[in-house]
Amino acid sequence: MIGNWSGSLRKALRAPSAPVTYGLIAVCCLVFMIGPASGLDPAYGTGEGLMAAQRAYFRRWGVVPAELFAGSARAVLTPATALFVHGSWVHLLGNMLFLYVFGAMTEQRMGRVAFTLLYLSCGCLALLGYAAAHAGSPQSLVGASGAISAVLGAFLYLFPRARVTSLLPFLFFLPLRFPAWVVLPFWAALQWVAVGQAAQGPGVAYLAHLVGFGLGFAYAWARFGRGTRVRAAPAPAPEGENQP
């Protein structure tokens, strides 16, 4: 049984087929490049004008907790639109790296429909959970971090022994390979610590990361059950260096 799983995973990795993952990456990149945060469109201006355009853009398409829970009809759709909006190049590239690394294998194992439902539903719920914790905040919340954290949670359930390459600052950024069951819970623990230390109001959405991660793990458990977990470590190993 283990040998069959290993062979199937190696074939999948040699010829990956993850159109949803790559489509999500393409959409997020396209939305970012045509928006004001990329700085590529001169129509948004420069300096203070560009900053004002960015704030208006995030307010329109991002989750504003105070508006969402005030019953604004427009705000109802923002948990979905916010998943495709990013605040900076670093924000975008960090999220897309994680989605590329962990999304393809998760999609191949779950199937396109189940993976799409995981990404969209858990991503929206993660943003809603974060917004509920800051219900009076007028600040905008954008990014795919909650959805990608859900992918990490599902990956942990489906591939607990997959080797993940990590760069550890306190070890001079040496690339070390650890099983997913070590790396991803450690990452989740860091998010938990960060939630407790975060300033009031939206900033880095650590709470959305935690909510998404838990929902993704629960989704994979409920959808596939114990019998579908991959017990052999796939090769080559995925790599992840940046937090979503």
Side-chain angles (χ1 to χ4, degrees), residues 38-76:
S38 69
L40 298 177
D41 189 344
Y44 289 110
T46 59
E48 289 298 322
L50 178 60
M51 296 295 292
Q54 291 175 357
R55 288 192 294 269
Y57 185 81
F58 297 150
R59 190 171 189 85
R60 179 179 181 183
W61 301 110
V63 174
V64 181
E67 295 181 3
L68 182 64
F69 293 104
S72 169
R74 181 197 61 80
V76 171

Side-chain angles (χ1 to χ4, degrees), residues 27-29 31-32 35-37 54 57-63 78 80-88 91-92 95-96 127 140-145:
V27 171
C28 286
C29 290
V31 169
F32 179 78
Q54 291 175 357
Y57 185 81
F58 297 150
R59 190 171 189 85
R60 179 179 181 183
W61 301 110
V63 174
T78 55
T81 59
L83 291 177
F84 300 94
V85 179
H86 290 82
S88 67
H91 189 200
L92 173 75
N95 275 348
M96 294 307 99
L127 290 173
S140 304
L141 176 64
V142 298
S145 299

Side-chain angles (χ1 to χ4, degrees), residues 35-173:
S38 69
L40 298 177
D41 189 344
Y44 289 110
T46 59
E48 289 298 322
L50 178 60
M51 296 295 292
Q54 291 175 357
R55 288 192 294 269
Y57 185 81
F58 297 150
R59 190 171 189 85
R60 179 179 181 183
W61 301 110
V63 174
V64 181
E67 295 181 3
L68 182 64
F69 293 104
S72 169
R74 181 197 61 80
V76 171
L77 296 177
T78 55
T81 59
L83 291 177
F84 300 94
V85 179
H86 290 82
S88 67
W89 283 99
V90 172
H91 189 200
L92 173 75
L93 295 176
N95 275 348
M96 294 307 99
L97 172 63
F98 260 63
L99 181 55
Y100 174 78
V101 168
F102 294 98
M105 287 179 62
T106 305
E107 179 185 347
Q108 290 170 41
R109 180 64 195 90
M110 298 180 75
R112 299 173 187 175
V113 174
F115 180 79
T116 302
L117 290 175
L118 163 79
Y119 189 91
L120 296 178
S121 62
C122 294
C124 289
L125 288 173
L127 290 173
L128 285 172
Y130 186 83
H134 302 88
S137 174
Q139 298 187 48
S140 304
L141 176 64
V142 298
S145 299
I148 296 171
S149 296
V151 173
L152 299 186
F155 185 95
L156 174 62
Y157 181 82
L158 296 170
F159 306 101
R161 297 186 183 179
R163 293 283 175 172
V164 178
T165 301
S166 301
L167 298 179
L168 303 179
F170 56 85
L171 291 179
F172 304 101
F173 294 97

Side-chain angles (χ1 to χ4, degrees), residues 153-219:
F155 185 95
L156 174 62
Y157 181 82
L158 296 170
F159 306 101
R161 297 186 183 179
R163 293 283 175 172
V164 178
T165 301
S166 301
L167 298 179
L168 303 179
F170 56 85
L171 291 179
F172 304 101
F173 294 97
L174 292 175
L176 301 175
R177 288 160 62 91
F178 300 100
W181 67 265
V182 172
V183 175
L184 295 181
F186 178 71
W187 172 85
L190 291 178
Q191 308 309 298
W192 177 266
V193 172
V195 168
Q197 296 177 346
Q200 293 184 353
V204 177
Y206 296 113
L207 181 59
H209 298 174
L210 278 176
V211 174
F213 186 82
L215 288 173
F217 188 91
Y219 180 97

